[in-house]
Structure formats: C-alpha cells, structure tokens
C-alpha cells in the first residue's frame, strides 16, 4: 500500500510593492492582534519605518499564497541599524497571518530575508525575539559577537546572525532605526 500523499504548502516570496501596503498592514495587525489594543505596536512601527530614511525596500519581503488569491499572507522587513556607528541590519517585525501560521511561511520569509541581506553584502542582522525560534536560523546571543543590546534588560533575547561580510571587529552597541526608539 502506498503512503498517503501530503498536500505541500507553497508560498512565493517577493519584495513588497506599493499595492501590498494595505494587505501587509492587515497581516501585521492580525498576527499581533490583542484584545486590549486594537492596533498592535508592530503595525504602527511598520508604518513609521516606511517613513524613515533607514527603510530598505529591497529587504521588505512578502509571502504570497498562490491558492489565496495572490494576497500577502506574511511579511518581514530589515531596516538599517548600526553597530558602533557602522552599518548593520535590524530585523522586524516578522508577521504571518494567523490562518497561515505553522505552515512554514515564517521560515520561508526568514531564509529569504537572510539570503537577500547576505547577497547585498550586509555584515549582520540583529533582532529581539525568542532564542528557541530564531536560533534555528543561526541567530546567537549578541554578546557572543561583542554586540550589546540597546537595552540591557534584553540580554536574553537580543540576538545577531552574522553574514558573509561580517568582520570580527564589528563590535559595540547596536542601534535600531529611529522608529524603534519611540516604542
């Protein structure tokens, strides 16, 4: 008897276009929905990042489900950050619509944005998040690479992923794009 076939979930990752803005906003809001706050901080952060000089359009990626009308079902962005004044990237927010969570969309977005950042010659990506989740993408505690978090209370959750262009001399305090400072 043959093994049953499993329907593979397919997702297309591409750069965000102006036509995607409302759908990306909806995905981000749905992903971070909270009964106490009608508009999650991640949604307002994303709006502010788009209006900031540290916005990097090539690193704003959407996940498209071809079976769902071609609308975005996930989004990730990296913006310009700095380590001791030197260029680096800050990742976030990463959003997947609740209807598509647990299907590999976030994983596909992470692999795509890290690959794109590496291809652009970026040295490292920093983020604040779950070590259990992001560790599988090569993120490590920032202190292992001599990078300190903008807030010392983040020490257990502030992580970096070095890329091909990384130099061991890139050490010091990490600073996110300005909108992160207003959270």
């Amino acid at each position: 008897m043959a093994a049953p076939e499993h329907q593979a979930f397919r997702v297309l990752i591409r750069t965000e276009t102006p036509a995607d803005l409302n759908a990306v906003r909806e995905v981000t809001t749905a992903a971070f929905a909270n009964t106490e706050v009608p508009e999650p901080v991640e949604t307002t952060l994303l709006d502010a990042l788009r209006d900031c000089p540290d916005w990097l359009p090539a690193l704003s990626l959407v996940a498209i489900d071809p079976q769902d009308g071609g609308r975005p079902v996930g989004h990730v962005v990296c913006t310009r950050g700095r380590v001791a004044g030197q260029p680096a990237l800050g990742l976030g927010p990463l959003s997947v619509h609740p209807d598509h969570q647990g299907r590999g969309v976030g994983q596909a977005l992470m692999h795509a944005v890290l690959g794109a950042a590496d291809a652009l010659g970026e040295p490292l990506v920093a983020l604040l998040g779950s070590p259990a989740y992001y560790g599988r993408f090569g993120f490590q505690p920032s202190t292992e690479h001599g990078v300190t978090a903008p807030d010392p209370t983040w020490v257990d959750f502030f992580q970096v992923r070095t890329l091909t262009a990384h130099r061991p001399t890139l050490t010091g305090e990490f600073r996110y794009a300005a909108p992160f400072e207003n959270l």
Side-chain angles (χ1 to χ4, degrees):
M1 175 182 259
E5 286 189 43
H6 293 285
Q7 183 75 13
F9 178 70
R10 294 191 177 121
V11 65
L12 169 69
I13 307 295
R14 64 167 171 74
T15 54
E16 176 186 272
T17 68
D20 297 324
L21 295 184
N22 288 335
V24 167
R25 199 166 199 289
E26 290 170 14
V27 166
T28 303
T29 299
F32 292 99
N34 180 327
T35 57
E36 297 172 16
V37 181
E39 185 169 78
V41 67
E42 292 83 0
T43 303
T44 56
L45 172 62
L46 191 55
D47 290 342
L49 288 170
R50 279 196 181 92
D51 292 334
C52 138
D54 291 324
W55 180 257
L56 302 170
L59 295 176
S60 180
L61 307 179
V62 294
I64 303 299
D65 178 356
Q67 302 302 313
D68 193 18
R71 289 181 49 86
V73 297
H75 176 260
V76 68
V77 64
C78 285
T79 51
R80 175 62 59 219
R82 290 173 178 72
V83 174
Q86 298 302 306
L89 295 175
L91 189 143
L94 166 65
S95 312
V96 177
H97 193 281
D99 293 345
H100 290 79
Q101 290 176 2
R103 299 168 72 186
V105 176
Q107 181 176 342
L109 283 164
M110 285 299 298
H111 286 299
V113 80
L114 291 172
D118 197 47
L120 290 171
E122 296 291 342
L124 69 79
V125 179
L127 60 78
L128 180 64
S130 164
Y133 182 79
Y134 292 104
R136 61 184 157 156
F137 303 107
F139 283 86
Q140 299 174 314
S142 66
T143 54
E144 290 185 17
H145 296 282
V147 177
T148 56
D151 182 329
T153 64
W154 296 354
V155 71
D156 293 333
F157 299 97
F158 190 69
Q159 305 160 71
V160 299
R161 166 69 152 72
T162 60
L163 302 173
T164 305
H166 179 260
R167 299 170 322 282
T169 57
L170 184 61
T171 60
E173 184 181 17
F174 181 84
R175 301 307 297 177
Y176 278 103
F180 282 92
E181 303 290 327
N182 300 325
L183 296 179

